[in-house]
Amino acid sequence: MTTTVTEQAAVRKESPGAADGPRRRPGRIRRIGLPYLLLLPALILELLVHLVPMVIGIVMSFKELTQFYIRDWDTAPWAGLDNYAMSVDFNAPVGEALLHSFLVTVAFTLLSVGLCWLIGTAAAISMQDTFRGRGLLRALFLVPYALPVYAAVITWVFMFQHDNGLVNHVLHDQLHLTDKPSFWLIGDNSFYALLTVSVWKGWPFAFLIVMAGLQNIPRELYEAAALDGAGVWQQIRRITLPSLSAVNQVLVLVLFLWTFNDFNTPYVLFGKAAPEAADLVSVHIYQASFVTWNFGAGSAMSVLLLLFLLIVTGVYLAVTSRGRRPADA
């Protein structure tokens, strides 16, 4: 017994693996740190592109930064919370205009996200069954999402023209649904024009995400439900929608953030001065910063918008995760 233990100890001492054990640790640490080293350039670029401008914007929101201090903005007088107080004073013209823009943006976002989700989900469900030409239809459905924003929206600008636009030609000249051609890019109709373009651009993304989520639902569930006598609407209600709950939670949040912050669509559709009915917060902040040259107030409005979106996102994630815990448990 003693001889065996002595031989094992000698073998361990002479084993090259035992001798190289401490030497392998630097290599192991090097392998563990390699992924972080590869991510470092992207992290630095992310900080430079997003974090640094965000910090500068927050600093600018506490200054009286107007056109007189653009060359040396760091020399602008310190305003403290005056820009924030002016933005949330809803009895003053600036605060009242911001509140109106905020309410318009909320209504626009809710309608756009709801319609995008509804149309995208309906299209994805209808494309599940195999039929001739399904691949072509799927590709055509993604065209609005694949087009560049400028090319897509500028086409709608021509279609919404008062005299020779396609929309008035169809609604007034062919279908006779209106008494006279409508102005779609000014007045109250501008809200519906903006909503139409936003839904047309956004629903293919919802279609793509829901269609991907439907691939994870076993077909056996639908076959068993059909044998039990469940119809199409019962299968959608009892199988499809509950199975897509996790996908829909992420989809609705992404659509909400994209739509609430959308600047390209209203800017290309209306230009620098959006109509009052379609005055979204993003365009309103742009006008406050680059049209009236009050960058301090515009930065304060941007920070308030950031705080609002962070609060809404946090509450949404808390509510949805709480509703998901019993199911996961």
Side-chain angles (χ1 to χ4, degrees):
M1 184 68 179
T2 306
T3 306
T4 305
V5 173
T6 305
E7 292 177 354
Q8 290 179 354
V11 170
R12 288 177 182 177
K13 290 181 180 179
E14 297 177 358
S15 176
D20 296 341
R23 298 179 183 177
R24 290 182 179 179
R25 287 183 180 178
R28 186 177 304 174
I29 295 176
R30 198 177 298 113
R31 288 196 302 270
I32 294 175
L34 181 60
Y36 298 99
L37 183 62
L38 296 176
L39 289 175
L40 186 60
L43 180 60
I44 295 175
L45 184 62
E46 181 74 16
L47 293 176
L48 293 177
V49 172
H50 291 94
L51 186 60
V52 173
M54 184 176 66
V55 172
I56 294 176
I58 294 175
V59 175
M60 289 170 57
S61 67
F62 294 101
K63 289 179 171 288
E64 295 181 4
L65 185 57
T66 60
Q67 67 268 30
F68 303 105
Y69 300 97
I70 293 179
R71 177 174 296 180
D72 298 320
W73 68 272
D74 55 337
T75 62
W78 191 261
L81 297 177
D82 292 344
N83 291 324
Y84 293 93
M86 180 178 60
S87 300
V88 298
D89 186 5
F90 302 134
N91 295 323
V94 176
E96 184 180 0
L98 180 62
L99 178 61
H100 173 266
S101 177
F102 174 77
L103 295 178
V104 170
T105 307
V106 170
F108 164 75
T109 303
L110 293 178
L111 290 174
S112 179
V113 171
L115 291 174
C116 286
W117 176 86
L118 181 62
I119 298 174
T121 302
I125 294 175
S126 63
M127 291 291 107
Q128 281 302 105
D129 295 333
T130 304
F131 57 88
R132 181 177 298 178
R134 184 182 67 167
L136 179 61
L137 282 178
R138 284 180 172 180
L140 290 177
F141 284 170
L142 296 177
V143 169
Y145 181 68
L147 284 175
V149 176
Y150 183 84
V153 178
I154 201 66
T155 304
W156 280 98
V157 172
F158 290 108
M159 293 172 62
F160 281 129
Q161 291 298 318
H162 177 265
D163 297 326
N164 53 4
L166 179 62
V167 176
N168 279 335
H169 176 69
V170 173
L171 296 180
H172 177 69
D173 298 337
Q174 293 185 346
L175 300 179
H176 304 288
L177 296 178
T178 57
D179 297 334
K180 57 183 180 179
S182 303
F183 290 95
W184 293 101
L185 299 180
I186 60 175
D188 296 336
N189 289 333
S190 59
F191 179 85
Y192 303 105
L194 179 61
L195 180 63
T196 301
V197 177
S198 177
V199 173
W200 180 81
K201 284 191 331 82
W203 79 264
F205 176 75
F207 163 74
L208 183 65
I209 299 302
V210 174
M211 186 175 59
L214 289 173
Q215 308 306 315
N216 297 323
I217 303 178
R219 300 301 301 177
E220 292 79 6
L221 295 178
Y222 294 101
E223 295 174 358
L227 291 176
D228 292 339
V232 176
W233 293 109
Q234 291 180 335
Q235 294 178 18
I236 295 175
R237 179 184 174 186
R238 302 293 183 180
I239 300 176
T240 305
L241 294 181
S243 301
L244 291 174
S245 59
V247 174
N248 285 328
Q249 288 169 5
V250 178
L251 173 62
V252 170
L253 179 60
V254 172
L255 286 175
F256 172 80
L257 294 176
W258 282 0
T259 307
F260 208 97
N261 284 319
D262 190 12
F263 173 79
N264 296 326
T265 302
Y267 184 81
V268 178
L269 196 61
F270 305 115
K272 295 181 180 180
E276 186 178 359
D279 184 24
L280 300 186
V281 169
S282 57
V283 181
H284 188 85
I285 294 175
Y286 169 81
Q287 293 175 347
S289 300
F290 295 96
V291 177
T292 62
W293 297 94
N294 194 341
F295 293 97
S299 299
M301 294 177 186
S302 300
V303 174
L304 292 175
L305 175 61
L306 174 63
L307 293 176
F308 170 77
L309 293 178
L310 288 177
I311 293 173
V312 172
T313 303
V315 172
Y316 178 83
L317 293 177
V319 172
T320 54
S321 62
R322 183 184 304 173
R324 198 165 54 238
R325 285 172 189 169
D328 296 340

